[in-house]
Amino acid sequence: MMIKTGFSRCLVLAATTAIMLTGCGSLGTPEPYAKAGRAADAPPASSAPASEWRPQSGPEPGQESGQESGQEPEGRPPAPPVPPPPDAGAQPPPDADASPPPGSMPGSAPPPDSDPPGSAPPSVRSAPMGDPDAYRRWGLDRPLEVPPPPPAGKPLLGPPGPQRAAVPPLVRRVPTNDRVVFVTIDDGIEKDPRFVKQARDLGLPFTAFLTDNVIGDQYGYFDQLRRLGNPMENHTLTHPSLAGMNYDDQVREICGQQDILRNRFGRQPRLFRPPYGEYDETTLHAAASCGIQTVVLWRAEMETHGLAYRSGGELRPGDIILAHFRGPEQLEGQSMTDMITSLVRAIQAQGFTIGRLEDYV
């Protein structure tokens, strides 16, 4: 089994009227996007050498080189040189995949969720309410345990100081001691109406990262899931590999989807997942210019035959899990609801429950 990458699992079968993916693949070509003033935000060239400012991209112990790490995958031409961003001598934000004790920045409040006026605060929306007797209908041995209360202050994901505000921090695993993990579901290819009922019945908290060109005019399906308490976050317009793309094109992909999601759901997304987990310095600056506050990667992925891990062989507190909106054609005959049932069973078997990612980041 392989963790989702941009070179070994991604296959695209393009037709003139539809897109079908068997894995996480490229989802088309960028749509035109014009936003006045975006070009002026491009990071200027600097005299400092580029090597002084690198996003943390080295593999964890046990991780294959280049897997979901920001490195260029094998077989892809090297990216053109990227001008160093401002404050090139500053250290990049660390990938929050360590296990420091939870804590918040002294004197700081969690960033606002930018939800529509009148929305319930995050502490109220921390987990959808489910039917306590519905778990049997979905093949589970027991209902989902209620997640612990959200932390009073969100854990620190980047270093203190000015460099923390320059670009969003990266996170694969939330620093927490709670026996809680976080489910994220990408793209939006499958739109199984039974999954809406399953998510409602189980009270399943998850975060969706949506790609516009596989959703088209079917945002209403995802609005049903959003109304259950599950945030809809940014996964670009067309799902390209961003690493190596120029600044304006990256801004177009990220800001374009920001605008669509804000217009559709009345909420400015705070979180962003780069397709394939591939990013570079330019990606982080483009995301910052679009209002992104955290770049979310993952430590475990739900594949057809079970969970696969970036390192180790089990879940840890705070792990972020990647899944996809997929159907029988991509899941070897399984439905979306079959896949979610298998995922929940695996999480429960390891003694965890599922929390709401936005309560922690």
Side-chain angles (χ1 to χ4, degrees):
M1 295 183 296
M2 294 287 294
I3 303 295
K4 170 183 174 184
T5 67
F7 62 95
S8 65
R9 294 187 57 248
C10 303
L11 178 63
V12 176
L13 299 178
T16 58
T17 60
I19 297 177
M20 182 190 76
L21 300 183
T22 58
C24 138
S26 173
L27 303 181
T29 54
E31 297 292 331
Y33 174 75
K35 189 75 172 179
R38 294 293 187 195
D41 296 331
S46 167
S47 59
S51 61
E52 292 184 8
W53 197 98
R54 305 295 315 168
Q56 185 167 348
S57 59
E60 290 186 350
Q63 177 194 3
E64 293 185 26
S65 177
Q67 282 191 350
E68 198 262 308
S69 64
Q71 299 175 359
E72 287 294 306
E74 296 175 2
R76 177 171 291 147
V82 178
D87 301 323
Q91 292 296 317
D95 180 338
D97 197 17
S99 302
S104 59
M105 292 183 63
S108 66
D113 222 0
S114 302
D115 281 344
S119 297
S123 59
V124 175
R125 295 181 286 106
S126 60
M129 297 297 294
D131 178 351
D133 297 321
Y135 65 93
R136 295 183 183 90
R137 293 200 295 269
W138 299 104
L140 297 175
D141 299 325
R142 59 187 184 275
L144 273 174
E145 292 185 19
V146 177
K154 295 185 179 182
L156 177 65
L157 301 179
Q163 67 269 30
R164 182 173 186 268
V167 293
L170 297 143
V171 58
R172 288 186 176 90
R173 178 171 173 258
V174 174
T176 180
N177 294 322
D178 294 337
R179 297 289 294 179
V180 62
V181 295
F182 307 99
V183 171
T184 62
I185 311 179
D186 278 14
D187 302 341
I189 294 172
E190 178 71 3
K191 304 162 187 73
D192 184 348
R194 294 185 73 245
F195 176 59
V196 178
K197 179 172 176 55
Q198 183 185 41
R200 180 187 296 113
D201 284 355
L202 298 180
L204 176 70
F206 68 89
T207 297
F209 288 91
L210 300 183
T211 298
D212 180 67
N213 75 336
V214 298
I215 295 173
D217 60 358
Q218 299 187 57
Y219 277 92
Y221 172 83
F222 299 95
D223 193 43
Q224 294 179 66
L225 295 168
R226 182 190 69 86
R227 290 175 182 275
L228 298 179
N230 302 299
M232 302 291 123
E233 304 286 1
N234 190 329
H235 198 40
T236 70
L237 287 172
T238 67
H239 206 276
S241 173
L242 295 174
M245 288 175 59
N246 67 50
Y247 179 82
D248 288 343
D249 287 342
Q250 295 203 41
V251 165
R252 183 180 300 109
E253 284 286 340
I254 302 170
C255 290
Q257 184 66 341
Q258 286 286 93
D259 291 347
I260 287 172
L261 294 173
R262 183 176 59 249
N263 292 337
R264 293 282 184 173
F265 303 131
R267 174 185 176 274
Q268 171 83 5
R270 295 190 295 107
L271 308 183
F272 171 66
R273 172 166 285 158
Y276 315 105
E278 295 177 358
Y279 63 91
D280 57 17
E281 299 141 2
T282 301
T283 308
L284 302 181
H285 281 271
S289 78
C290 299
I292 296 298
Q293 296 176 13
T294 306
V295 175
V296 179
L297 303 176
W298 61 92
R299 187 181 165 268
E301 179 176 355
M302 186 61 187
E303 297 187 340
T304 306
H305 302 290
L307 281 170
Y309 304 92
R310 291 185 72 248
S311 63
E314 62 184 7
L315 294 171
R316 295 185 290 176
D319 276 354
I320 297 171
I321 300 171
L322 168 67
H324 294 87
F325 288 96
R326 296 287 189 265
E329 292 182 343
Q330 298 88 27
L331 297 175
E332 299 181 8
Q334 297 182 67
S335 67
M336 175 87 179
T337 58
D338 293 335
M339 182 267 291
I340 292 296
T341 293
S342 297
L343 173 58
V344 173
R345 289 177 67 92
I347 291 169
Q348 291 179 322
Q350 296 189 46
F352 290 91
T353 191
I354 303 170
R356 183 179 184 268
L357 181 62
E358 281 78 354
D359 288 341
Y360 288 76
V361 300

